Amino acid sequence: MRVLVACEYSGRVRDAFCAHGHDAWSCDLLPTEVPGPHWMAHVEHILDLGWDLMVAHPPCTHLAVSGSRHFHRKQREQAEALAFVRLLMAAPIQRWCIENPVSVISSAIRPPDQIIQPWQYGHGEVKATCLWLKNLPKLTPTHCVQGREQRVHRMPPGPDRWKERSRTYQGVAAAMAQQWGARPLPAPMQQLDLLQIAC
Ligand SMILES: C[S@@+](CC[C@H](N)C(=O)[O-])C[C@H]1O[C@@H](n2cnc3c(N)ncnc32)[C@H](O)[C@@H]1O
């Protein structure tokens, strides 16, 4: 499959899909942290390049309810952030997952299809993460662990704090590739159709 991982600099979801043999690309305004197939670009310019699946991590700075005390003075930024999410949702891609923390996407667009936690995927941490899904099954927990700490509270302040906080958890990336990368192609391009064309 051709997989687009939108708004990803860490390469984690990209590399998880690559490990399953997919043609996966990350795209971000930033360079990739780990060498691999990466578009350093505005993702809105490459949404129509024939992707089979997209996993997108749009910025949550103006959307996350954890910052709601600032909402009253950043209405324009929030409207722009929501417009970006709507644009991703309207992408001409058969299947997608859009990931964000608990955010105003739920009230402004629609509630998420699923809320997952890192501790369900091998990381002893709490961080409610919402998934909006199109033509994808809910993610099944792979390894529930006992630990329940909030890592973010231990992180020192600094310019890279947001980056440390926003990298996708490896266990979640692996589950996405394992569970969504193994599904058959959408009906219109299945082998049977190709065989019929050949005959
Ligand atoms: C919350 S971070 C997601 C990080 C991701 N979970 C990872 O592991 O790399 C959001 C990212 O969106 C990127 N971004 C913002 N606007 C973008 C755009 N128009 N096109 C591509 N990337 C964009 C930012 O540079 C930022 O790295």
Side-chain angles (χ1 to χ4, degrees), residues 1-158:
M1 279 198 297
R2 278 176 51 74
V3 181
L4 172 62
V5 187
C7 305
E8 179 177 82
Y9 58 84
S10 71
R12 287 187 175 176
V13 177
R14 175 200 69 203
D15 288 349
F17 274 94
C18 285
H20 282 262
H22 297 291
D23 180 17
W25 289 73
S26 50
C27 174
D28 201 290
L29 303 177
L30 301 174
T32 179
E33 279 186 332
V34 179
H38 184 72
W39 288 80
M40 195 168 139
H42 287 264
V43 73
E44 44 275 49
H45 296 158
I46 63 162
L47 290 174
D48 61 354
L49 294 188
W51 307 102
D52 299 303
L53 167 67
M54 172 174 73
V55 178
H57 312 279
C60 59
T61 315
H62 306 303
L63 300 176
V65 297
S66 55
S68 59
R69 65 190 179 285
H70 304 298
F71 281 175
H72 66 282
R73 58 179 170 81
K74 53 180 188 182
Q75 288 174 357
R76 184 177 55 81
E77 291 89 339
Q78 190 171 91
E80 287 171 3
L82 282 168
F84 184 58
V85 174
R86 287 193 178 95
L87 182 140
L88 292 172
M89 287 181 166
I93 302 176
Q94 278 279 328
R95 302 183 206 152
W96 49 246
C97 164
I98 293 176
E99 173 268 327
N100 230 237
V102 177
S103 77
V104 294
I105 297 174
S106 303
S107 49
I109 301 179
R110 67 170 171 88
D113 296 292
Q114 183 177 14
I115 300 181
I116 61 170
Q117 288 282 353
W119 56 260
Q120 298 172 313
Y121 299 87
H123 305 269
E125 291 163 32
V126 179
K127 185 183 177 191
T129 303
C130 301
L131 305 181
W132 286 263
L133 304 171
K134 177 185 169 189
N135 292 332
L136 286 173
K138 289 179 183 167
L139 215 55
T140 303
T142 50
H143 179 207
C144 290
V145 296
Q146 288 303 315
R148 296 286 192 275
E149 84 173 313
Q150 276 205 308
R151 187 169 59 108
V152 62
H153 294 321
R154 278 196 290 111
M155 289 180 178

